[in-house]
């Protein structure tokens, strides 16, 4: 069991940056792959980025590639999503999720994750 808490969301103008954090409890954080998903009003939740349990591989949605960077600090039980060059279409609630021993491109799939945080709102104005 792992509990996830997101933070770092807020209001930013287009072209700006934000860094989201996903803090986890438990001693087994390093055994979990972490993913970031987002959900805009009236839309389905979609994949944004993921990092394997080892941190050796990362995956990104095409819409954020080159602008967002996912990372993790196992010593702090925290994962991050650095978001640069933000666009109004990035506006959404962002969720962190965990998958035990997760590897591979299936980490882009929402259903692969066992645990979810409560989400943090990101609003980008034009």
């Amino acid at each position: 069991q792992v509990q996830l808490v997101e933070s770092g969301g807020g209001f930013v103008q287009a072209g700006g940056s934000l860094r989201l954090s996903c803090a986890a409890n438990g001693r087994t954080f390093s055994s979990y792959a972490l993913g970031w998903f987002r959900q805009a009003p009236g839309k389905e939740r979609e994949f944004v980025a993921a990092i394997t349990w080892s941190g050796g591989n990362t995956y990104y949605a095409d819409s954020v590639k080159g602008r967002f960077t996912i990372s993790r600090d196992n010593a702090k039980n925290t994962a991050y999503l650095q978001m640069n060059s933000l666009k109004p279409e990035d506006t959404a609630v962002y969720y962190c999720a965990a998958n035990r021993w997760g590897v591979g491109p299936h980490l882009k799939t929402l259903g692969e994750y066992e645990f979810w945080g409560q989400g943090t709102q990101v609003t980008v104005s034009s």
Side-chain angles (χ1 to χ4, degrees):
Q1 185 83 11
V2 62
Q3 292 181 324
L4 305 170
V5 179
E6 302 95 334
S7 62
F11 184 92
V12 65
Q13 291 188 330
S17 298
L18 284 173
R19 188 177 79 157
L20 304 184
S21 297
C22 173
N25 67 354
R27 301 176 182 177
T28 58
F29 175 79
S30 60
S31 67
Y32 284 87
L34 278 298
W36 286 97
F37 291 77
R38 67 187 181 186
Q39 188 166 18
K43 295 187 177 182
E44 293 186 350
R45 194 170 298 188
E46 65 175 7
F47 169 75
V48 175
I51 187 167
T52 55
W53 64 271
S54 67
N57 290 92
T58 57
Y59 305 92
Y60 295 95
D62 288 343
S63 59
V64 306
K65 205 170 291 184
R67 300 188 297 122
F68 291 10
T69 302
I70 189 171
S71 62
R72 64 188 300 157
D73 185 339
N74 288 342
K76 295 183 178 179
N77 278 13
T78 302
Y80 304 96
L81 184 68
Q82 178 66 45
M83 306 186 296
N84 299 329
S85 303
L86 283 161
K87 304 175 181 180
E89 51 263 43
D90 294 318
T91 295
V93 177
Y94 283 70
Y95 297 89
C96 176
N99 172 302
R100 192 82 189 269
W101 302 119
V103 294
H106 71 85
L107 290 175
K108 299 181 181 181
T109 305
L110 185 150
E112 292 291 324
Y113 291 85
E114 300 130 303
F115 304 104
W116 291 83
Q118 83 291 346
T120 185
Q121 175 71 46
V122 171
T123 303
V124 184
S125 67
S126 58

